[in-house]
Amino acid sequence: MIILKTPEEIEIMARASKLVAETLQALRREVRAGMTTEALDRLAEEFIRGRGGVPAFKGYRNYPKTLCASVNEQVVHGIPSKRVLKEGDIIGLDLGAIVDGFYGDSAVTVPVGKVPPEVEKLLRVTEEALYKGIEQAVVGNRLSDISHAIQQHVEVAGYAVVTDFVGHGIGRQLHEEPQVPNHGKPGQGPRLQVGMVLAIEPMVNMGSSAVRVLEDHWTAVTVDGALSAHFEHTIAIQANGPARILTKL
Ligand code: MF3
Ligand code: CO
C-alpha cells in the first residue's frame, strides 16, 4: 500500500530532508585526499545529532554506520572504514535522517580532488538522470515514467543503469511502497498522486550493469570493477507543477 502524506506531514519530511541536505553539503566540503571515510561518518553523525535528528541508517538491518560511503567501483552501501581517500577517487555519500518520526534520504557522488573529464561526465549524467526522473514525477503520470526517463538518459550517454537496487517510497519508514526502479517501459505502475513522497536514486555504471555484494553483506560493487555513481533526492508530488525536491537546499 502506498501511504499518502498530508501537507503537515510533508512539512515534517521537509525538515528531515533539509537536515540531510545540510549534512551532505557539510560533508562534501570536507572530502579531500588523505582523509578516511570513517572521519566523514563521524562528522555526519555529529552534525545530525547536533541538530536534533537521528541517523536513519545506523542500526537499520544492522547497518553499522550513519553514512554510506561508496568509493569508485563501489555502487552503494559502502561501509565507512579506515580506507584513506586519494586524489582522483570518486565517493558516493548516501545519508538519511529522522526528524519527528519522519525520514529524509539523499545521496551525491563527488570527486576527491581532480578527476578526468570522462569521470566528471559520469557524475554529471547520473545527476542529470535523477532530474530527468524528477521531471516525470507529476500528477497523472505513472510510476514507470520516472524509471524510463532515467534509463533513457543514462543509456543515450553510453552508460548502464543498475537494476539490482531501486528507489522507494519514504515516510515514517525509510522504505515504503512503491519501489522505484531506474529502468523500464513508460506508462506502467500506479498513477502518481498528490501526497506521494518518493526517494528517487539512479545508480549508474561506466561499464556493465552487473553488481555483486561483498562478504561484508553490504558493499555493492561493479562486477567488472568499472566506476559507478549514485545521486538521490526525496521528492513530494504536488497538485500542480513539478515535484517539490525536499532534499535540495
Ligand atoms: N539510500 C539507501 C536506501 O534507501 C541507503 C540505505 S542504507 C541502509 O536504500 F543501511 F540503511 F540500508
Ligand atoms: Co534511498
Side-chain angles (χ1 to χ4, degrees), residues 76-197:
V76 285
H77 304 164
I79 302 174
S81 69
K82 302 203 179 321
R83 176 175 185 157
V84 177
L85 296 177
K86 56 182 203 315
E87 178 85 14
D89 283 345
I90 58 172
I91 179 170
L93 305 169
D94 187 355
L95 194 70
I98 312 169
V99 171
D100 291 341
F102 283 89
Y103 285 79
D105 185 9
S106 182
V108 294
T109 302
V110 296
V112 180
K114 232 186 133 35
V115 297
E118 58 272 25
V119 178
E120 284 177 0
K121 183 181 168 196
L122 172 73
L123 304 185
R124 186 178 68 248
V125 167
T126 307
E127 187 170 23
E128 283 168 359
L130 169 59
Y131 282 95
K132 294 284 180 188
I134 294 172
E135 266 176 38
Q136 296 299 317
V138 293
V139 170
N141 272 3
R142 287 184 185 269
L143 186 71
S144 82
D145 294 329
I146 298 172
S147 314
H148 180 73
I150 291 170
Q151 180 178 26
Q152 186 69 16
H153 190 71
V154 168
E155 291 183 353
V156 164
Y159 302 134
V161 286
V162 172
T163 57
D164 287 14
F165 298 96
V166 294
H168 49 95
I170 179 169
R172 287 188 187 276
Q173 296 202 289
L174 177 60
H175 297 135
E176 295 183 357
E177 286 179 29
Q179 292 195 355
V180 185
N182 295 303
H183 68 107
K185 288 190 288 185
Q188 318 261 299
R191 278 200 191 280
L192 302 178
Q193 291 178 51
V194 182
M196 284 186 183
V197 183

Side-chain angles (χ1 to χ4, degrees), residues 58-85:
K58 200 169 192 172
Y60 178 84
R61 295 176 179 246
N62 293 322
Y63 186 73
K65 299 286 186 178
T66 293
L67 183 70
C68 294
S70 308
V71 181
N72 296 341
E73 79 289 353
Q74 297 177 351
V75 178
V76 285
H77 304 164
I79 302 174
S81 69
K82 302 203 179 321
R83 176 175 185 157
V84 177
L85 296 177

